[in-house]
Amino acid sequence: MQKKIAVILGDGIGPEVTQQSIKVLNTIAKYYNHEFSYENALMGACAIDETGNPLPDETITICKNSDAILFGAIGDPKYDNDPTAKVRPEQGLLKLRKELQLFANIRPVTTYAALQHLTPLKPKLLENVDFVIYRELTGGIYFGAKSLSEDGTVARDDCSYSVAEIERIAHLAFKHAQIRRKKLTLVDKANVLETSRLWRKVVQAIAKEYIDVTVDYLFVDNAAMQIILNPAQFDVVLTENLFGDIISDEASVLAGSLGLLPSASVGNTVALFEPIHGSYPQAKGKDIANPLGSILSSAMLLDHFGLTKEASIVREAAAWCLNSGFVTKDIDPMNSYTTTAIGDLICEFIERHAKGETHPIHERLHKSTII
Ligand code: IPM
Ligand code: MG
C-alpha cells in the first residue's frame, strides 16, 4: 500500500515523539511491504516564529493532499502566560480541525496491568476498564463568537450546536458501540444548557436506529465523578467539545500517564492522528518524553488505512515495552529509558515479530539512561 502522510511536528516534545512514530511506521512499511512518504508542515508556535501565522496556508494544502496527518503537539509557555496575545499556537490546531472538518475526536482509554500502581485509583477499580471517548471537535464553545467589552470587564464565549453537527458524530459513536460492548453514554449538562438539551433530544432519536445499543445519559459533573468511582461502566462515551476535552484528560489518569493516550480526529476528508498530551515544554529536547501516545496514534492511523494486522502489532509492541519495564521517566523515574530507546525497542519488536523470532522480556541491554 502506498500512502502520503503529512507530518506536523509542532512544538515542545512534538518533534521528538513524532520522530519515533515515523521510525515505527517505516519499520512497518519495510516488513509488510508498504510505502509511506512524508511531507512536513508547520503549525503552532514554531509556525508563528517562522511565518507569523500559526497555520500557514501551505500546511492546509499539504494536509488536504495527504492520506493522513500525523501530528505531535503545539503550545508554548510564552503564549500561555500572556492572555493579551492576539496570535496563539492553539489557533492553528483549531483552524486546522475546522478547515478539514475533523468533527469527531476519538480517544480510547486503555489500562495496562503493569501500570496500575501509577494511578491514584485502587487497582480493583481499574479492572476491565476499556472505553472510548467520542468528543465533538469542530463546534460548541470552542468555535462560538468571542468578545471582550471595550472596557475589558466583560468577556463572552458563545456555545451553539446544530442538529446536523450532533447527528454526524452520534452516528459514528453508535456504530462503534455496536462493534464493542454495545453501550453508549451521552455526557451533557441538559439540566442547565439548551445545547445539551438538543444533544439529548437528537441522541434519543438516533438511539431508535441502534436498538442493540443501550444508551444512558450522565450530567458532566456526575460523569467526572463516575470516571473515578466506577470507570469500568463505560464503553463508548459521547460528548461535546469542551466536556470531551476535560473528561479525556481526566480519563488519562486511569491509564497511568497522560503520555500514553492516542487519538484520531476524523471527519469527511483526511484524518489526523495525535497523542492527547500537550507540548510539555519542560521536557523539550531532553529525550525523556513518552513516545507511546504518538506511537499508539500511529497504530490508529494504520487502522484507518485498513492495516489492522499492522496496527495490532504496534499495539502489541507498546504493551510489551510497558510489561517489560522499557518505559520513560513519567512511568518509572528510577529506571527509565529515553524517548529514542523506546522507539528503537518498538521497531525491534516489530522486526522480530515479522521474522518470527521471540521477544526477550527482561533484556536490559538497551538501557541508555539511568536517572
Ligand atoms: C486537546 C488540546 C487542545 C484542545 C488545545 C491544545 C487547543 O487540549 O487536543 O485536547 O483544547 O482541544
Ligand atoms: Mg485537551
Side-chain angles (χ1 to χ4, degrees), residues 13 34 72 86 108-109 206 226 241 250 277 297 337-338 357:
I13 57 166
H34 304 300
K86 288 271 176 296
V109 181
I206 290 179
Q226 294 297 327
N241 203 344
E250 185 193 2
H277 62 67
S297 300
Y337 290 71
T338 63
E357 295 167 9

Side-chain angles (χ1 to χ4, degrees), residues 74 90 93-94 97 107 135 137 142 245 274 276:
I74 50 161
E90 290 77 8
L93 179 57
L94 298 181
R97 288 172 177 170
R107 299 186 161 182
R135 165 189 175 193
L137 205 58
Y142 270 63
D245 180 47
E274 58 166 311
I276 85 155

Side-chain angles (χ1 to χ4, degrees), residues 7-9 13-22 70-72 294:
V7 177
I8 302 176
L9 298 172
I13 57 166
E16 52 210 273
V17 295
T18 310
Q19 226 49 68
Q20 308 314 312
S21 277
I22 293 175
L70 186 62
F71 164 53
S294 177

Side-chain angles (χ1 to χ4, degrees), residues 196-209:
S196 284
R197 286 192 275 274
L198 188 62
W199 271 84
R200 232 174 235 225
K201 201 171 138 199
V202 171
V203 169
Q204 277 166 355
I206 290 179
K208 298 195 181 105
E209 295 174 41

Side-chain angles (χ1 to χ4, degrees), residues 60-104:
I60 303 175
T61 312
I62 292 175
C63 290
K64 283 188 174 161
N65 290 332
S66 65
D67 297 305
I69 306 159
L70 186 62
F71 164 53
I74 50 161
D76 190 294
K78 73 181 172 209
Y79 299 97
D80 295 345
N81 302 329
D82 177 8
T84 62
K86 288 271 176 296
V87 183
R88 319 182 67 83
E90 290 77 8
Q91 290 163 343
L93 179 57
L94 298 181
K95 188 167 169 216
L96 187 69
R97 288 172 177 170
K98 197 74 175 174
E99 281 277 336
L100 302 178
Q101 278 298 297
L102 300 171
F103 61 81

Side-chain angles (χ1 to χ4, degrees), residues 105-107 109 131-136 169 173 177 180 183-187 216 218 223 227 231 233-240 243-244 247:
N105 182 227
I106 305 163
R107 299 186 161 182
V109 181
F131 62 97
V132 53
I133 300 173
Y134 271 71
R135 165 189 175 193
E136 201 289 329
I169 184 170
R180 290 180 47 100
K183 181 175 174 196
L184 183 142
T185 304
L186 176 68
V187 171
D216 71 356
L218 285 182
I227 285 173
Q233 70 182 286
F234 297 110
D235 180 20
V236 173
V237 174
L238 169 64
T239 191
E240 59 100 82
F243 298 160
I247 65 165

Side-chain angles (χ1 to χ4, degrees), residues 15-16 31 50 57 73 102 119 121 218 285 303 308 322 366 371:
E16 52 210 273
Y31 289 99
E50 224 166 281
D57 289 344
L102 300 171
T119 86
L121 272 69
L218 285 182
D303 267 334
T308 47
L322 293 170
H366 296 276
I371 298 167

